[in-house]
Amino acid sequence: MIKMDKSVDLFIGTDAEDDSETYIDGSHSRAVFICGKRGSGKSYSMGDVMEEVTDHTDNVVPLVVDPMGIYWTMVEGNEEQQDLLWNYGLQTQSYDVNLLVPGDPSTRYGDDILREMKRRGLEVSSVRINPSDISPDGWCDRFDLNINKPMGITLYRAIRDLSRQHRDEFYLDDIISSVEDDANANERTQEALLNRLEMARDWDLFSTSYEPIWDRLDENSVNVLDLSIIEPGKYGLRNLVVSVLTRDLFNRRIEARKREELNIGVDIPKVWLFIDEAHNFVPSGQSSLSKDVLIRWVKEGRQPGVSITVATQQPSAIDHEMLSQCDVILCHKITTREDIKEMNRLSQDYMGSELKTYIQKLDRVGEAVYVDDEDESVSIVQMRPRRSRHELHAARVRRRD
């Protein structure tokens, strides 16, 4: 287990019974699961954890996967709840935000929106995928091609051969040329495959020169990957971006950990990954491009020193393997039978009763069942108010007496 600091207490709220302050131990790698039905405060609570990680951890870079486009507002203080923050001993605060935009920001947002974002203090950075960072299987999955049929065989062969020849540096034009020059592929297969590759060019996601993804992150900011500008489900592009980004960061941290153990200089800080609407990336009962690497992040993250927080409205829609590996749970109000059943599967002997018993006690927006598996503790906590502005204003936080 890698210690981030001697003592890192992440203040998330107050105990519903005795009003005592409640903390998550952030001194080492954690896997946090946050859930709750719409309007219960789960995205707001993830923002609480983001703020605490940003404020109180050293050498840890926060990276937020934001499918709804709501976390850029951390660049502004929560002026609407100044009095409430004061009751919790807190003050409003704005954060430096590095907004990562897949593709060209001007094309994605339009010039007027982009100018306004920059006027408000946002740092806007384009992030693009290196075609060479996608495996042969990943490319075939992208186009739903069977690797045992002509188009799948041809594309797999093209990516495999380019990987052997150029390793980290080949691009979409190289893939197209390789398919065109493949003497083993018939003309019909080539034409169909080239049409798909030309379509991929229109996605405006791929780099034309090698760009280390890490270079796009700002170690002194909250890094927010805005996926709201990519249509959900369209060719699985959101999953493609998350898969390539998280795999690259995880592998870099594995290498950095080896350097740390040998007391060799390390220039790759630890990463705390936050994913909202996580059921879209780690779905239950089906595959996705990013599923395997994110489950690995949860299961093996302690060794390379990476942490993860995932949030969803539908706990039953997330793969149970991920849920069972999380050592912190913040469960807001849920009501569907399937979701309550899924959460109850996480019950432990030390809880004294089933988890669903605690969930049924929740009656306020912003209130959550807090489980810390390391401490073997369970309680109901009222989440603290956000220091920065929250776009949805979904959670009303109870005044602290």
Side-chain angles (χ1 to χ4, degrees):
M1 182 186 301
I2 298 177
K3 288 285 183 179
M4 293 180 180
D5 203 344
K6 292 182 179 179
S7 177
V8 179
D9 295 325
L10 310 179
F11 174 45
I12 59 170
T14 54
D15 188 285
E17 288 191 5
D18 59 18
D19 210 35
S20 59
E21 294 183 344
T22 303
Y23 296 87
I24 294 174
D25 179 6
S27 64
H28 53 273
S29 300
R30 304 306 301 262
V32 182
F33 177 63
I34 304 175
C35 66
K37 69 177 185 177
R38 183 178 180 181
S40 64
K42 55 94 180 171
S43 295
Y44 191 100
S45 294
M46 191 163 81
D48 282 336
V49 181
M50 287 179 206
E51 291 177 354
E52 291 294 310
V53 168
T54 304
D55 289 338
H56 299 297
T57 59
D58 295 325
N59 197 36
V60 177
V61 177
L63 172 61
V64 186
V65 175
D66 185 5
M68 296 187 294
I70 60 174
Y71 290 105
W72 67 266
T73 55
M74 291 181 71
V75 78
E76 300 174 351
N78 183 8
E79 305 297 336
E80 295 182 7
Q81 295 181 309
Q82 287 189 75
D83 292 343
L84 186 57
L85 281 162
W86 181 260
N87 290 332
Y88 279 77
L90 301 172
Q91 295 179 335
T92 63
Q93 181 173 326
S94 59
Y95 292 84
D96 293 331
V97 174
N98 179 32
L99 190 64
L100 300 170
V101 183
D104 177 51
S106 295
T107 302
R108 298 298 193 192
Y109 294 127
D111 290 337
D112 53 342
I113 292 178
L114 187 58
R115 279 194 300 270
E116 179 61 21
M117 284 180 162
K118 291 181 177 180
R119 188 191 69 80
R120 296 194 183 196
L122 285 163
E123 183 71 29
V124 181
S125 303
S126 171
V127 60
R128 293 184 181 275
I129 294 172
N130 300 304
S132 53
D133 287 340
I134 305 173
S135 69
D137 291 291
W139 272 106
C140 291
D141 287 344
R142 190 72 341 270
F143 297 117
D144 195 24
L145 300 179
N146 187 325
I147 63 172
N148 296 310
K149 294 193 174 180
M151 276 201 293
I153 292 171
T154 302
L155 182 57
Y156 189 100
R157 184 164 55 230
I159 304 300
R160 181 198 62 196
D161 292 347
L162 287 169
S163 297
R164 290 174 177 174
Q165 295 168 21
H166 305 288
R167 300 194 66 183
D168 289 339
E169 296 190 17
F170 63 86
Y171 309 100
L172 200 55
D173 285 343
D174 298 315
I175 300 173
I176 290 172
S177 295
S178 182
V179 171
E180 289 175 332
D181 296 340
D182 190 340
N184 294 315
N186 65 50
E187 186 176 344
R188 185 175 179 181
T189 296
Q190 288 174 315
E191 184 177 354
L193 195 50
L194 290 171
N195 286 338
R196 286 164 172 78
L197 291 169
E198 288 297 337
M199 177 180 66
R201 195 194 302 277
D202 294 336
W203 295 341
D204 188 32
L205 284 177
F206 295 109
S207 61
T208 55
S209 62
Y210 194 79
E211 300 177 4
I213 292 176
W214 179 262
D215 291 352
R216 296 301 179 184
L217 301 188
D218 185 341
E219 298 177 24
N220 300 308
S221 299
V222 180
N223 296 275
V224 178
L225 177 65
D226 185 4
L227 295 182
S228 68
I229 43 84
I230 300 177
E231 293 180 27
K234 186 177 182 181
Y235 314 117
L237 296 184
R238 290 184 176 185
N239 262 284
L240 176 64
V241 173
V242 171
S243 172
V244 173
L245 181 64
T246 53
R247 183 172 285 105
D248 180 77
L249 295 178
F250 193 89
N251 290 337
R252 285 175 180 269
R253 273 303 309 168
I254 289 176
E255 181 180 349
R257 177 54 183 154
K258 292 176 182 176
R259 297 178 67 89
E260 289 168 349
E261 290 172 342
L262 295 169
N263 294 317
I264 302 174
V266 176
D267 59 358
I268 303 295
K270 303 173 184 69
V271 178
W272 196 309
L273 180 66
F274 297 85
I275 306 179
D276 207 354
E277 303 299 322
H279 55 276
N280 293 315
F281 304 99
V282 196
S284 175
Q286 55 184 302
S287 62
S288 77
L289 275 178
S290 54
K291 183 173 181 176
D292 288 346
V293 66
L294 292 178
I295 288 178
R296 187 182 181 198
W297 196 295
V298 173
K299 294 175 70 173
E300 303 176 22
R302 286 177 179 263
Q303 177 62 17
V306 295
S307 297
I308 188 170
T309 298
V310 294
T312 182
Q313 298 177 29
Q314 301 174 266
S316 60
I318 286 191
D319 193 282
H320 183 74
E321 188 174 8
M322 168 163 274
L323 300 191
S324 65
Q325 296 297 319
C326 291
D327 52 26
V328 172
I329 298 171
L330 287 168
C331 179
H332 291 274
K333 188 72 173 179
I334 53 176
T335 53
T336 67
R337 184 175 302 173
E338 294 80 5
D339 290 336
I340 292 173
K341 181 179 178 181
E342 180 61 35
M343 292 306 299
N344 203 49
R345 292 177 66 188
L346 302 176
S347 299
Q348 302 290 340
D349 290 342
Y350 64 76
M351 294 180 181
S353 60
E354 292 183 308
L355 191 54
K356 67 180 181 181
T357 304
Y358 294 93
I359 295 171
Q360 290 165 353
K361 294 178 181 179
L362 300 174
D363 60 4
R364 295 189 182 96
V365 175
E367 203 171 55
V369 178
Y370 170 42
V371 178
D372 190 321
D373 199 51
E374 287 188 355
D375 292 342
E376 297 191 350
S377 62
V378 58
S379 60
I380 294 178
V381 59
Q382 180 67 40
M383 300 300 292
R384 70 161 177 81
R386 287 274 301 275
R387 302 181 70 185
S388 60
R389 186 165 77 86
H390 182 60
E391 174 68 14
L392 293 180
H393 300 291
R396 297 182 299 275
V397 183
R398 177 172 60 90
R399 179 173 295 277
R400 191 178 184 187
D401 298 325

